[in-house]
Amino acid sequence: AQSVTQLGSHVSVSEGALVLLRCNYSSSVPPYLFWYVQYPNQGLQLLLKYTTGATLVKGINGFEAEFKKSETSFHLTKPSAHMSDAAEYFCAVTQPASSYKLIFGSGTRLLVRP
Amino acid sequence: DAGITQSPRHKVTETGTPVTLRCHQTENHRYMYWYRQDPGHGLRLIHYSYGVKDTDKGEVSDGYSVSRSKTEDFLLTLESATSSQTSVYFCAISESGGLPEAFFGQGTRLTVV
């Protein structure tokens, strides 16, 4: 069975500081991994994805994530936080054999201090 | 934005009444999903569809049923609403092949009183 763990339900950073949101997964087969962002009262928007190939993937709004198989991790980073990055972030895993059903982590709310 | 429309966007209903939520897509994607979002739980899969009339249960399917009679429409029915089904419900779509990511609707906030 697949599962996702996001460490830290809330992360607070200063504007301009590094953003690091942690995601660890469990999967018995090569996973597809995603980060989604949710702004208040909105649906989920895809930030980036890893399927195969290059393990460092770049997404929208300056975010990137690195797939580390040995650590079963897919942490999300951004070098410099902006006030507009304040939102909830979800890590998710799936695989083709599961009809692409997503298994989500519990989410991390990012707070950006001025 | 992917063409996904959920209706209604907000609903308040009484315990014991049936409720149907609708998801409509214009992308002709094969897969459709219903998730519920609750604080501390992320999103959890209720039911999903892999084609017209082809559906299966997800992680939290008790008390819910679905139907998909057309590619573009996926209905979620709460057979007899309970307060534990108060939640935000999201529909999502995805396609097989090279585009495994799911696209989400704007959500339906359901309150059962």
Side-chain angles (χ1 to χ4, degrees), chain A residues 6 8-11 21 35-47 63 76 83-91 104-112, chain B residues 37-43 90 109:
Chain A
Q6 290 184 241
S9 58
H10 292 80
V11 170
L21 304 183
W35 276 99
Y36 284 88
V37 60
Q38 185 182 34
Y39 299 102
N41 300 314
Q42 294 190 22
L44 277 69
Q45 180 183 3
L46 180 69
L47 269 180
F63 284 93
L76 182 70
M83 296 297 291
S84 61
D85 294 327
E88 189 154 23
Y89 293 79
F90 293 94
C91 181
F104 284 89
S106 55
T108 297
R109 185 168 298 278
L110 177 66
L111 308 172
V112 182
Chain B
Q37 182 179 21
D38 304 289
H41 292 277
L43 282 81
F90 286 99
R109 184 173 296 275

Side-chain angles (χ1 to χ4, degrees), chain B residues 5-108:
Chain B
T5 304
Q6 291 186 231
S7 59
R9 293 292 313 280
H10 301 271
K11 186 170 182 65
V12 179
T13 192
E14 293 186 350
T15 299
T17 60
V19 176
T20 295
L21 308 183
R22 180 178 183 242
C23 178
H24 178 78
Q25 62 148 328
T26 58
E27 305 295 324
N28 200 36
H29 280 10
R30 176 184 177 187
Y31 297 99
M32 298 186 75
Y33 314 85
W34 278 107
Y35 293 89
R36 60 177 288 174
Q37 182 179 21
D38 304 289
H41 292 277
L43 282 81
R44 293 177 292 175
L45 182 66
I46 305 171
H47 281 280
Y48 68 103
S49 170
Y50 47 96
V52 174
K53 300 190 187 302
D54 292 323
T55 65
D56 205 350
K57 296 179 180 180
E59 177 187 1
V60 290
S61 60
D62 286 349
Y64 302 94
S65 62
V66 290
S67 65
R68 191 174 180 193
S69 59
K70 299 185 290 185
T71 298
E72 57 265 35
D73 289 326
F74 193 34
L75 303 180
L76 175 71
T77 298
L78 288 65
E79 294 143 9
S80 177
T82 67
S83 58
S84 65
Q85 293 176 313
T86 291
S87 187
V88 181
Y89 292 85
F90 286 99
C91 175
I93 63 174
S94 71
E95 188 53 83
S96 55
L99 294 172
E101 61 264 41
F103 299 95
F104 285 80
Q106 292 297 297
T108 295

Side-chain angles (χ1 to χ4, degrees), chain A:
Chain A
Q2 296 179 310
S3 65
V4 175
T5 301
Q6 290 184 241
L7 288 176
S9 58
H10 292 80
V11 170
S12 180
V13 301
S14 297
E15 190 173 20
L18 171 72
V19 176
L20 171 61
L21 304 183
R22 299 179 185 275
C23 172
N24 288 89
Y25 70 91
S26 172
S27 179
S28 58
V29 298
Y32 290 177
L33 295 159
F34 306 87
W35 276 99
Y36 284 88
V37 60
Q38 185 182 34
Y39 299 102
N41 300 314
Q42 294 190 22
L44 277 69
Q45 180 183 3
L46 180 69
L47 269 180
L48 49 78
K49 66 179 179 182
Y50 169 79
T51 53
T52 59
T55 56
L56 181 63
V57 293
K58 296 185 183 299
I60 61 172
N61 302 337
F63 284 93
E64 62 183 36
E66 186 170 11
F67 170 60
K68 292 187 176 180
K69 183 178 178 180
S70 61
E71 299 177 8
T72 60
S73 69
F74 191 57
H75 302 330
L76 182 70
T77 61
K78 181 174 181 178
S80 177
H82 192 274
M83 296 297 291
S84 61
D85 294 327
E88 189 154 23
Y89 293 79
F90 293 94
C91 181
V93 64
T94 190
Q95 54 171 300
S98 72
S99 298
Y100 301 103
K101 296 176 293 185
L102 287 168
I103 305 298
F104 284 89
S106 55
T108 297
R109 185 168 298 278
L110 177 66
L111 308 172
V112 182
R113 304 185 303 272

